[in-house]
Amino acid sequence: MNMISFIRKNRIRCIVAVFYQIFMSVVVVRNALLTGGTVSFESCWFLSFGGNLEIGVTNADKFELPVLWIIFHAYIFYMLCDQLHDHSVGIGIQRLIRIGSRRKWYFQVCRMDAEIIFFYYLCYFFILQIVLKIQNIPMDLNMAGVVLRQYVAACFFLPVCCSISIFFIQNVVSLYCSKYVAYVISLAILVCSSYWRAYYLIGNYAMLLRMDFYRNSGLHVPTAFMICLAIMIFTLLVGLKKAGSRDFIEKELEER
């Protein structure tokens, strides 16, 4: 299954994703305008993926859950939660047989998932630009407090890597148990990361307010990248091992 096939098969989910991203970008731009400061693409991107300050930094009574941020990530995990199942039934089984290797098949599925997550972020990137253009807000590269030109990797690629890492965990869990349990675990990672800052709660890496370029006590960006990369490699290896020993054809016959 390529990107075009995925969009055709999941066109309703893709349309909902686009509408949510439009809604999110409009809300973000509106909030940026209400602050009264300089509004730019960079400031709006930072508001979109800034997340929130964890409990301990803010008073528990003033703590706010980053609802837009959680929904943005939860929805892409929901969009992809059927990917392994779709690739292991019907035409997917024929493709698996044609490939001839379950490990190679699983690797291609994970690569496809990573590409979809990347394009999900890229889609929001362009939608946010369009919304700003409609509001006649220039693409100013200067932003008070954070100069995003120096932190392109952290501000764009780190949230992407974080999302891929979480979804690779979801993929592996879905090989051992239900896809619904795997999805709940992904949601738990997002919610727990919203409340607490810790390196083992990897959802923190998708929140720019938690990074050391925003505050001195923040998480170290290179370390966050290395942890995400380590998680992706580890979960991919575990998934390859499990996929290599799983009989997907027999599994499909049992489900029928």
Side-chain angles (χ1 to χ4, degrees):
M1 181 184 290
N2 55 30
M3 186 71 67
I4 302 299
S5 300
F6 174 83
I7 293 173
R8 286 176 179 172
K9 183 177 180 60
N10 300 276
R11 54 186 175 274
I12 301 299
R13 293 184 183 183
C14 291
I15 291 171
V16 172
V18 171
F19 273 103
Y20 176 73
Q21 290 189 354
I22 293 172
F23 168 77
M24 179 174 170
S25 61
V26 169
V27 172
V28 166
V29 172
R30 177 179 173 273
N31 290 341
L33 290 170
L34 289 175
T35 59
T38 302
V39 179
S40 65
F41 173 80
E42 284 73 23
S43 62
C44 291
W45 184 269
F46 192 84
L47 284 174
S48 301
F49 300 105
N52 65 335
L53 294 175
E54 68 277 11
I55 290 179
V57 175
T58 57
N59 188 293
D61 296 333
K62 297 180 179 179
F63 176 83
E64 294 183 3
L65 202 64
V67 178
L68 291 176
W69 178 88
I70 289 176
I71 296 176
F72 180 90
H73 294 90
Y75 191 76
I76 184 60
F77 299 152
Y78 165 73
M79 283 181 66
L80 295 174
C81 69
D82 292 327
Q83 275 287 85
L84 272 180
H85 179 266
D86 291 343
H87 280 275
S88 60
V89 297
I91 297 177
I93 285 291
Q94 298 175 19
R95 185 167 179 267
L96 192 158
I97 295 173
R98 186 170 65 252
I99 292 173
S101 169
R102 284 170 289 191
R103 290 187 174 91
K104 185 178 180 181
W105 166 85
Y106 180 79
F107 178 81
Q108 291 185 4
V109 172
C110 289
R111 186 189 65 184
M112 180 66 187
D113 292 339
E115 291 175 359
I116 293 171
I117 291 173
F118 175 81
F119 281 106
Y120 181 73
Y121 276 87
L122 194 63
C123 180
Y124 181 74
F125 180 90
F126 288 114
I127 286 175
L128 183 57
Q129 289 192 48
I130 293 171
V131 171
L132 288 169
K133 187 69 175 178
I134 292 172
Q135 294 288 336
N136 293 319
I137 297 173
M139 291 291 291
D140 186 11
L141 291 178
N142 296 318
M143 172 184 167
V146 180
V147 183
L148 294 196
R149 283 176 295 180
Q150 299 178 13
Y151 303 102
V152 173
C155 293
F156 183 80
F157 292 106
L158 186 54
V160 174
C161 289
C162 175
S163 296
I164 294 173
S165 299
I166 295 175
F167 189 73
F168 276 17
I169 294 173
Q170 181 175 319
N171 259 353
V172 169
V173 174
S174 66
L175 285 175
Y176 286 89
C177 57
S178 168
K179 63 182 180 183
Y180 303 108
V181 174
Y183 182 63
V184 169
I185 290 175
S186 294
L187 292 181
I189 292 173
L190 293 174
V191 174
C192 291
S193 298
S194 300
Y195 283 93
W196 299 284
R197 177 173 64 90
Y199 278 104
Y200 59 84
L201 292 173
I202 60 175
N204 280 277
Y205 309 148
M207 288 186 276
L208 303 179
L209 284 173
R210 308 284 178 91
M211 296 295 107
D212 60 358
F213 64 79
Y214 178 78
R215 67 184 210 245
N216 293 332
S217 61
L219 301 173
H220 192 44
V221 172
T223 302
F225 268 114
M226 287 188 290
I227 292 175
C228 285
L229 182 61
I231 291 173
M232 281 189 276
I233 293 173
F234 176 75
T235 52
L236 184 60
L237 291 176
V238 173
L240 288 171
K241 184 177 185 302
K242 179 62 177 177
S245 61
R246 181 171 178 174
D247 192 336
F248 290 97
I249 298 178
E250 182 180 345
K251 182 70 174 178
E252 182 186 6
L253 293 175
E254 289 177 356
E255 290 179 353
R256 290 181 179 178

